[in-house]
Each structure stands twice: as structure tokens, then as C-alpha cells.
Amino acid sequence: MDPLQSPLQYLKGVGPRRAADLQRVGLHTVEDLLYRFPIRYEDRGTFQTIASLRPGVAASVAGEVVTCGLRPTRRPRFKIFEMLVRDRTGSVRAVWFNQPFLNDMFRPRQRVILYGKLELTAHGIQILSPQYEILPSEDETGAEGAASEGHEDETLHTGRIVPVYEKTGNLTTKMQRVLVHTALSQLPERLPDPMPAGILARHHLIDRRSALAEVHFPQSGTGIDELNRFRSAAQRRLIFEEFFLFQLGLVLRKRHSETERKPRSVVITDEVREAARRVLPFRLTGDQKKVIAEIVEDMKRPHPMNRLLQGDVGSGKTIVALMAALVAMENGFQVAFMAPTEILAEQHFITIRRLLESSRFRMTLLTGATSAKKRREVQAELAGGSIHLIVGTHALVEDPVAFHELGLVIIDEQHRFGVMQRAALRSKGMHPDVLVMTATPIPRTLALTTYGDLDVSVMREMPPGRHPIKTIAKPESRRDEIYEFLRQQLDAGRQAYVIYPLVEESSKVDLRAATEMADHLAQDVFPAYRVALLHGRLKQDAKERVMQSFARGEISILVSTTVVEVGVDVSNATVMLVEHAERFGLSQLHQLRGRVGRGPHQSYCILLYQSPMTDQGRERLKALTETTDGFVIAERDLSLRGPGDFFGTRQSGMPTLRVGDLLRDHQLMEDARREAVAALDDPRQAEPLTAFVRSSWEQRFGLVGVG
Ligand code: ADP
Ligand code: MG
């Protein structure tokens, strides 16, 4: 038996009670324990004592906060945060300038590590703006229980580089250290290793047994920086292993879907080409042509298309979707086009109906607002095959909707839908082609991982005649200037959005603020213009009325919460004014900005912010003013937020990684992907790897469908 699969209750010092505690936090086997890696390391060998500190050099000290707080200065905007730290040899002062939020982070009696340069000042020696870490409290000795073992403990917890684990349930970092140590000492010299030997050699990766020992208890001589950057030999090996297994799963899933067969695939005749030409309202951009060709190639194949189309806001995805739909319909298939909101579904419906006016195809709209009677009619016609194209919201996946022969599923703004909804709509046909579209450019690393089983098309080119949007960030104190500018735009016949953040769509306080803002603009600032308010709590038909009359130009200023964020297209709107821009996420701001710049006029995005901003807030606004390239924005957003938050939702199918980090380790991910593809192409390796992945991959990464 695999020694890693041994249950934890057989571990020395773990009784039934402890084992039950561990199970509650998801730790059942030795593998669970050993694959719960340190989140960071502390070098407890090389802290300097406070008594030995000398000015002019940098040093790390570990100690306890004695006092801390903000010190007022004579200049009102200038704040100093000050802390007194002591260890058993003495105490030292640390100071930070203009970082008032530190006041919320530190408390007396916290254990901290500071690293910074020492200066001699009138107040004595002090550490200037040190980097800091707050250590979890270590008065855990009482809870230590059966697993702790006197003096052995000492060498595990001090005098060396020690691993620090995340606390979970009542498993503290110290307890985990002891358990891990015991587990390692009971492991046999050789462990079965899922990684093929050739790959280990090619990438200079160490064996699994050593990696597990080293990752928890690095030998002296291992650099602490290297460890905390997750670049030690042990960490690299384990990250590679995780990525490799994950990629094997993705590749297997993709290959499995390629064995599915559509009832029939499309054919492209002169007639189809002619139909497409008749419908096109403008010349396609090069990227649009390229992507349509990729899609049509997929549709001609015997297995179903699974393609993700990434194109920045305004890049013209709708017409691409329509071309795909036309090809399907010309081949006698039905098409379902799903959008995340009713406003957007309706807008697609209107656009497409206009373009298809002269064709023989019948289309309809189905949303939550569709009446029961109409709904029954639509259902009958869909099942009978007399409706060729249906546009709708998630109402489309609701149960009674059945198709005659659904051949193509198009999903707009993919990230708004869960994996489950995609699957549900797909299951309404016999292996239909699937095209998902997103305006959230996904950094390449993430695309490989989250969507590794989809083929990806990218449109970076914008339709001709667009002026790049000018973006500026201004403090609230400059509001009058901004209003003056807005007035010029309105006088010139343009329209504007004013976006107000709602922390939660249901927050009454924020809603009142947005309402007051709309009233104030209407009565005091722009009495000559019509101002309207749009928010998520309006009834659907009210929302639509407002949107329609903004689209017709009857409303000049649309004050809105972020419901307007996705997909809405009003080409005469040239100003996007965002209130409290510091509260929005980077990708969200980019999406909002994409609502303007859709017509022939120069457009502007104005980000009004309230000081003081956090460093992150400042970085976000800076990124927006520096670039309009959605892919650059996405990379910046990812690095500011980390992949966990990137999509804002767990549903998005992001893998739960134990040691790898998509951003930090993207190069390893790409290497792992290449090796996974190669390994599965090699019949001798493919079989054992497939078996291994089937037995472990699905549960480990929480994804389904390896086949
Ligand atoms: P998105 O990719 O954000 O969904 P849309 O499909 O809504 O973009 O297109 C944005 C605008 O650009 C629409 O008004 C559309 O008619 C126009 N458009 C798209 N492609 C072209 C093109 N090749 N030439 C001119 N205008 C185009
Ligand atoms: Mg769109």
C-alpha cells in the first residue's frame, strides 16, 4: 500500500480523538498532512537581538509590540505611525510615514518581525519604515497535547528555519509542525512517485521523498528568501508535480470531449457564404475574420466545438456570434444565445433581429419577463423547430425549454455564468457546438489553467474609426471642473454615464446616495438636461424603459449603479464618470470604461476618487490611466488581486491549488502543460498516468469530466 495513504490515526502520538479533530479539518491521511504546505518560513536562526543593533545597517528583529499609535504632526495630512518593540535584550522604536492604516493592524502584545534599516535620530536609534510581519500568537503550548515531545520540540520551533502553517480548526502551526515531523520520520526511504523519471531529469526536479522532507524542514543553508519566494528545490518539485497532474486532467478531459460525435457537422456552401455577405452591415476587422474562420473550422469538424472567444469590450464579438449562428441556421440547426442580463439579451435580440430582417429565419426572445402565455408558445415553437434562433437569459436553461435540433450554443460574458449553466444549456442538444464569449481578457496563464480544455480565440483589434478613450483620475475636490467639462459635452449633444458604487446591490444607504446624486445633478447642476437613475432594484420593465430612452437620446445623463456594466451599447455616450473610483476593482472599471468610445466621437473616462487611497487603489487608477489594453489591465489586475479573487467567484472553475500559484509560477505551469501533452502522447506513459489521474485528479481539483 502507498504509505502516504495511511490514515493519520496510525501516527505515533495521534489518538482517536486527535484523529477525529484532524478529520474535521479535512486531514485524513499522511498525504493530506504532508501536502498541507507551509505558507511561509521564519529564519529563527538569524534574528538580531535588539541590544546588538547598529545604525546604518539593515536587520531583522523579532519581538513584542509594547506600544503603538499614530503621532500627530504639525502638517495636517502628514501622519507618522510609531511602534515600540522589545525582545529580551531591549527595545527599539520603528516609524512609518503616511501609512495610517497601520494603526488598524497592530496592537500591543502582538509578536512581530521587522526588517529594515536602522537610523540614529534625535530620539535615539530607530527602524525606518521596516517591512513587517505579524506572527500568529504562540501561547499555544496549552493546546499542544499528546503530540508534543519536550526537547525535540525545541529544535522544531526555534534555532532553525521553521515552517509556518495556516491555522485551521484547532490545529495550530506548532501542532502541525510536530505531526509533520512524526509523519516524515515514519515514511519509508522510497516513495512511489507519479512523476515520470524523464521529466524529473529534464527539469532538474528532486525526488518526492526528499522534496516532502525539505519543504517542511529545510536544511540549514537553504536561503530564507528563496523559500519565501517558493523557489527552493523542494518547492519547485512539488509545484511542478501539482501543475503536471492538473494539466494531465485538463488534457484528458479535452481529449475525451474530442471523442464525442455530433449527429452531423456543418457544411459551407456558396449559399451560406452569400447569406453571410447579405447580412454583414460593415467590413469585418482582420481579427473578426480570423476568429470567424476558426469557429467555422470547428463547426465543420465531427466533434463538438468548445471555443472561448476573448475580445475586449467593443471589439465586435456580437457580429462574430451572429456569423456562427447564421452558419448553423443555414445548415438547419437551431441556435441558443444566452446573455447574463435582460438588458443585454434584449439588446442582442434587437441588433440581431435588425440584421436578420431580410432572412427567412425566425427568432425570439425569452427572459424572466416573458409572460407565461408567450413562454408556452415559444416552447412549442422551439420544440417544433419553427424558431431558429432564441436569445435569452438563464431562462433558457430552465427546464421545460426543449429544442428540435439545437446545434449551436452561444454564451455571452461567460464569466457571469457558472460552469453548471454552461453544461445545462449544452445538454439541451446532442453534443452541440459551444461558443463562449468574454470581454474579461484572461491572462494567458489563467486561460491555460481555467480554460485549458477550451480552444481560445482572441480579438485584440478594434473596429476602425475609434478614438482611444482618454482616461483621467481626479480627486473629488476638482468636481467643479469636471462638471464644467461634462456640460461642454452635453452642450455638444453628447450623453454621459455617472456611475455610483453600491457596496451591495441591496444597500439602502448607498442607494440613497445614488438617488441624491441623481437629484442633485438634475436640479442643481444640469437643470437644462434630463437626468435618470438606473439601479438593480428597479423593476425589470422600468429598467428597460430607462435604458431604451437613454439609447434613443432622450436622457442625457444616466446615473447608474454597475448594472450598466456589461455589454450595453450607446454610441452617442462619450463620458463615463465614475464616482468613488477607488472602490471599484480594476477589471470592473475597465468594463465600465468600455461603455463609451463606441461611436465616432472622442470619449472620456473620468475617475473621481476620494483621498486617502490605499496603495492598491492608487495602483488601480494608475493602471487605467496608463493603458486601454484589456489584456494589460487583466495582467495588472491579476497581480494586484491574486487569482483567487480574479473572477470574483469560485464557480468559475478555478482550481484549488495547494502549493502552486498561477501568477508566481506561471512558467512552471507552461512547462508542466507541455510535459503533460507529451506524456499522454507516449503510449507507455499514458496508461499509468491516466489511471493515476482518474483516481486522484477529480477529487483533488474538484473538477469533473476526465472521462
Ligand atoms: P463587444 O465585443 O463589446 O460585444 P459589440 O459586438 O457590441 O462589441 O460591438 C461594438 C460596436 O462596434 C457595435 O456598435 C458594432 O456594431 C460595432 N462594430 C463591430 N464590428 C465592427 C466593424 N468591423 N466595423 C465597424 N463597426 C463594428
Ligand atoms: Mg458584447
Side-chain angles (χ1 to χ4, degrees), residues 312-314 316-318 337 344 348 412-413 437 439 566-568 595 598:
D312 210 345
V313 278
K317 295 183 292 295
T318 315
F337 190 160
L344 200 54
H348 281 321
D412 197 15
E413 309 297 346
M437 307 197 291
V566 178
V568 174
R595 299 301 109 228
R598 301 187 145 236

Side-chain angles (χ1 to χ4, degrees), residues 467-491:
H467 305 279
I469 300 163
K470 292 199 173 126
T471 304
I472 46 169
K474 292 273 179 199
E476 274 221 305
S477 53
R478 310 277 292 274
R479 183 178 291 281
D480 290 346
E481 264 166 70
I482 300 300
Y483 284 164
E484 195 39 50
F485 174 75
L486 205 60
R487 191 186 318 280
Q488 289 167 16
Q489 290 288 308
L490 298 176
D491 288 348

Side-chain angles (χ1 to χ4, degrees), residues 126 164 184 230 249 272 280 339 344 424 487 514 636 703:
Q126 62 184 28
V164 177
L184 285 170
F230 284 74
V272 176
L280 271 183
L344 200 54
R487 191 186 318 280
R636 292 280 278 278
L703 295 174

Side-chain angles (χ1 to χ4, degrees), residues 223-278:
I224 186 82
D225 288 342
E226 189 177 71
L227 284 166
N228 282 326
R229 284 186 294 118
F230 284 74
R231 279 293 168 272
S232 75
Q235 289 161 324
R236 273 192 59 236
R237 141 80 211 210
L238 292 163
I239 293 168
F240 200 98
E241 171 185 318
E242 180 168 56
F243 286 171
F244 179 71
L245 297 176
F246 178 64
Q247 290 295 346
L248 282 178
L250 281 183
V251 176
L252 282 171
R253 187 162 73 173
K254 182 160 188 342
R255 293 195 177 176
H256 176 73
S257 81
E258 282 167 4
T259 64
E260 291 173 345
R261 287 284 170 271
K262 303 189 265 211
R264 59 197 173 88
S265 29
V266 306
V267 283
I268 305 295
T269 59
D270 284 345
E271 222 172 306
V272 176
R273 285 194 198 90
E274 186 43 40
R277 254 193 298 276
R278 266 202 311 275

Side-chain angles (χ1 to χ4, degrees), residues 33 71 119 177 212 448 477 523 565 642 656:
L33 181 68
R71 193 172 76 197
E119 282 209 339
R177 237 175 253 149
L212 285 173
L448 263 183
S477 53
Q523 287 156 23
E565 185 185 333
T656 325

Side-chain angles (χ1 to χ4, degrees), residues 117-135:
K117 193 155 173 201
L118 289 141
E119 282 209 339
L120 193 59
T121 69
H123 309 283
I125 194 168
Q126 62 184 28
I127 314 183
L128 200 62
S129 300
Q131 295 176 27
Y132 54 85
E133 251 180 76
I134 300 170
L135 300 180

